[in-house]
Amino acid sequence: MSPATVARWGVMGKKDRQTTILVVDDEQVHRYMLCSMLREWGWRCVEADDGDTAVAAVEKHAYDAVLMDVRMARMDGREAFFRIHALQPSLPVVIMTAYSSVDDAVEAIRHGAHDYLTKPLDFDRLRLTLERAVDHRQVVEQQRGSEEAVPLLTSIIGSSPPMLELLEMIRYVAPTEATVLIAGESGTGKELVAEALHQNSLRRNGPFVRVNCAALAETLLESELFGHEKGAFTGADRRREGRFVQADGGTLFLDEIGETTQAMQVKLLRVLQEQELQRVGGEETISVDVRIIAATNRNLEEEVRRGSFREDLYYRLNVVMLTVPPLRERGDDVELLVRHFAAIFAQKNRRRMEGITPECLALLRRYSWPGNVRELENAIERGIILMRGEQLTEKSLPLTIQKIRDEQEAAASARPQSLSDVEKEMIFQTLDETGGNKSEAARRLGITRKTLQNKLHKYDGEL
Ligand SMILES: Nc1ncnc2c1ncn2[C@@H]1O[C@H](COP(=O)(O)OP(=O)(O)OP(=O)(O)O)[C@@H](O)[C@H]1O
Ligand SMILES: [Mg+2]
């Protein structure tokens, strides 16, 4: 157990003396064992021997959390969870499951269960999970008690419908212990989303540690994540703790998870399941308490189908998936972001900026932003640095963006202006295709040869 974990538990006994947990399991021996342990940890404990009894108990009494087995003889845990959740959405339910029926638990998490534990139970983890569940409940109750919901701490800018939906999901998922997979094109803001999840979680005072899985070769990545013993490989002149240990009590952000090798994926899966690891070249087993958030710009589902990403790891990571929309789908957010970055870079570069010309703004809104927010940020930085005068104009934007204006203007002037222009273009095109054969062209156009002849005469006259 880590020192951070011990420190947190040190105060728990006193704080949570009145806290009551409903333990639901149809095996008497399990209930007895769980309850005696929970009581020893300072919680009050009420037992229910099946789903029905549990639902009835929740209807009548107030609990701080429910710990429930998923497989039970009469009403199973899944169904009981849905009924309990419908009765009291803020009551945290922790589900116990065998690894073979983890699907049910994952489905429950998607529908609002607090967390799940796989059997055989790891008791350290059980205690920590219940402690978090109770904390979560208190936070939710406080939010409800105050006039307004606690504002979401985030530097994510956006008010378009897809971004509001994303922010709502962040608010909902952040305080849980669920592993989150963030998907989205490059530069859409996946890292910002990961930070927001951490900042709005109960782990916010713990570390947020980021590892870019694409930046290191497999062996280096392994020692980066898990640490190594002295002498584990050439150059390992002292023991080093890995990122998992550094993130203990906090969040570990595994960026570009889609770039890991299969061998690495197996090792990651093991740590995610056991919350335990060994340093490279070491024997000692180290327990860690880490919430995992992963990101990728690949389509992992597709990679799983093709066999390049392990299905079991995908499953573990994808308890909740957040998709960050590309900038081209965010409408007015472009303008918000442009103004935001323009103000930041003007200040940073000591430029006086009075505004952005309407033409410049129109161009920025029309551009498709294949590099998303990162591209926009860079474009505005460049624009501010190269700005002449006190207005940001399209002239100081990167050429790739200016080009679309020229292309659009060219396309607009080349486009036929009227119905007769369209007709004329079609006639000449058909004549080209038939090698100048007027009878064939007329047939293809669905007019008589005579009509075609007349039209051609008319065009001659126009020249
Ligand atoms: N909604 C937003 N509001 C403000 N800044 C943003 C927003 N989205 C992204 N940014 C900024 O854009 C840049 C790119 O974002 P970020 O690094 O989070 O993208 P990413 O999705 O992780 O990209 P990649 O896949 O390339 O790693 C960062 O500087 C970030 O601060
Ligand atoms: Mg990133």
Side-chain angles (χ1 to χ4, degrees):
M1 203 192 310
S2 72
T5 314
V6 174
R8 257 202 314 278
W9 288 0
V11 294
M12 195 192 66
K14 272 179 242 129
K15 192 179 78 181
D16 290 333
R17 206 158 294 267
Q18 297 307 312
T19 304
T20 308
I21 316 254
L22 177 65
V23 175
V24 194
D25 198 316
D26 60 349
E27 295 222 21
Q28 198 187 352
V29 185
H30 289 172
R31 280 201 315 273
Y32 177 79
M33 184 198 70
L34 286 168
C35 285
S36 48
M37 208 152 39
L38 262 53
R39 286 185 188 119
E40 206 170 292
W41 293 339
W43 285 311
R44 223 166 74 77
C45 198
V46 173
E47 297 179 31
D49 62 1
D50 73 357
D52 256 338
T53 322
V55 174
V58 168
E59 275 174 334
K60 284 199 220 84
H61 307 283
Y63 302 104
D64 296 279
V66 179
L67 176 65
M68 181 157 62
D69 193 19
V70 79
R71 287 277 147 92
M72 287 178 296
R74 270 175 288 166
M75 185 196 291
D76 81 356
R78 230 177 112 266
E79 193 189 334
F81 159 70
F82 285 114
R83 296 203 13 210
I84 288 173
H85 191 60
L87 283 170
Q88 276 193 44
S90 69
L91 176 60
V93 178
V94 174
I95 290 182
M96 299 179 282
T97 171
Y99 185 63
S100 56
S101 52
V102 94
D103 313 25
D104 289 340
V106 170
E107 194 204 344
I109 297 261
R110 291 210 173 106
H111 288 91
H114 183 75
D115 205 348
Y116 70 91
L117 296 163
T118 45
K119 292 199 266 188
L121 292 179
D122 170 335
F123 298 133
D124 283 350
R125 193 152 170 70
L126 169 66
R127 186 171 180 174
L128 198 61
T129 304
L130 285 175
E131 189 198 359
R132 286 248 160 74
V134 170
D135 279 356
H136 179 222
R137 158 87 166 195
Q138 282 163 0
V139 170
V140 172
E141 297 282 286
Q142 276 164 15
Q143 281 187 1
R144 195 184 305 146
S146 60
E147 283 291 290
E148 280 168 47
V150 173
L152 198 62
L153 286 172
T154 179
S155 46
I156 299 172
I157 292 182
S159 62
S160 59
M163 286 308 278
L164 290 181
E165 199 176 309
L166 178 67
L167 291 170
E168 190 50 39
M169 280 298 286
I170 294 173
R171 181 195 299 282
Y172 186 64
V173 176
T176 73
E177 284 294 297
T179 302
V180 181
L181 180 62
I182 307 169
E185 290 176 14
S186 189
T188 44
K190 296 186 291 297
E191 190 161 346
L192 278 190
V193 170
E195 284 167 8
L197 286 168
H198 175 73
Q199 269 178 35
N200 293 281
S201 76
L202 299 168
R203 293 169 175 265
R204 68 177 75 93
N205 296 323
F208 176 80
V209 176
R210 170 180 180 254
V211 180
N212 182 348
C213 300
L216 298 169
E218 184 178 333
T219 48
L220 283 176
L221 180 60
E222 189 181 356
S223 105
E224 178 78 11
L225 287 171
F226 308 133
H228 61 247
E229 295 293 345
K230 181 176 172 178
F233 46 83
T234 327
D237 49 4
R238 60 191 175 87
R239 170 195 277 182
R240 184 166 173 267
E241 295 298 358
R243 299 301 197 129
F244 267 98
V245 170
Q246 285 173 18
D248 196 28
T251 306
L252 181 63
F253 176 44
L254 297 174
D255 203 1
E256 308 208 34
I257 188 91
E259 313 303 312
T260 48
T261 61
Q262 293 262 345
M264 195 65 221
Q265 290 166 25
V266 176
K267 288 175 184 146
L268 280 173
L269 179 67
R270 205 161 48 217
V271 188
L272 294 197
Q273 271 168 9
E274 326 266 320
Q275 295 266 322
E276 272 178 8
L277 55 92
Q278 280 152 349
R279 297 186 194 96
V280 176
E283 301 276 300
E284 187 194 345
T285 299
I286 306 160
S287 293
V288 284
D289 161 34
V290 170
R291 181 193 196 181
I292 302 290
I293 297 176
T296 181
N297 53 23
R298 296 194 183 208
N299 180 343
L300 279 195
E301 209 173 315
E302 180 62 39
E303 307 267 321
V304 167
R305 222 171 296 132
R306 288 213 321 258
S308 49
F309 199 86
R310 289 186 63 102
E311 188 172 15
D312 43 13
L313 179 61
Y314 173 67
Y315 202 47
R316 260 279 149 177
L317 294 172
N318 183 22
V319 173
V320 175
M321 163 110 90
L322 297 182
T323 304
V324 190
L327 188 53
R328 62 184 170 278
E329 289 172 12
R330 297 191 209 167
D332 293 344
D333 285 359
V334 170
E335 184 171 340
L336 281 182
L337 287 161
V338 166
R339 294 193 185 282
H340 166 75
F341 288 123
I344 287 183
F345 290 120
Q347 194 188 29
K348 189 171 152 206
N349 294 292
R350 296 170 202 285
R351 286 270 189 275
R352 213 182 130 78
M353 194 203 53
E354 291 293 338
I356 305 168
T357 64
E359 298 76 29
C360 179
L361 213 46
L363 190 62
L364 291 165
R365 294 178 64 124
R366 240 185 294 141
Y367 185 59
S368 65
W369 302 109
N372 294 297
V373 186
R374 180 175 296 111
E375 185 183 8
L376 182 142
E377 186 176 353
N378 292 339
I380 301 303
E381 176 164 30
R382 180 200 140 107
I384 295 288
I385 290 171
L386 300 181
M387 191 167 91
R388 301 279 165 93
E390 294 181 348
Q391 294 253 334
L392 182 64
T393 69
E394 67 263 44
K395 291 202 185 67
S396 59
L397 294 178
L399 290 176
T400 39
I401 302 176
Q402 291 194 39
K403 225 171 65 192
I404 65 149
R405 179 198 51 190
D406 302 341
E407 277 166 9
Q408 284 186 345
E409 277 169 7
S413 61
R415 199 187 304 139
Q417 296 299 307
S418 63
L419 207 56
S420 60
D421 285 335
V422 176
E423 186 186 82
K424 184 170 163 185
E425 203 170 284
M426 217 168 145
I427 289 176
F428 283 116
Q429 198 184 325
T430 315
L431 280 167
D432 276 349
E433 284 165 16
T434 59
N437 182 334
K438 289 183 192 144
S439 306
E440 174 61 14
R443 198 187 60 75
R444 285 197 198 177
L445 289 163
I447 51 176
T448 60
R449 191 174 191 283
K450 179 108 180 75
T451 311
L452 178 62
Q453 199 76 43
N454 289 342
K455 288 192 186 286
L456 288 172
H457 275 307
K458 194 173 127 232
Y459 300 150
D460 269 348
E462 285 170 5
L463 286 176

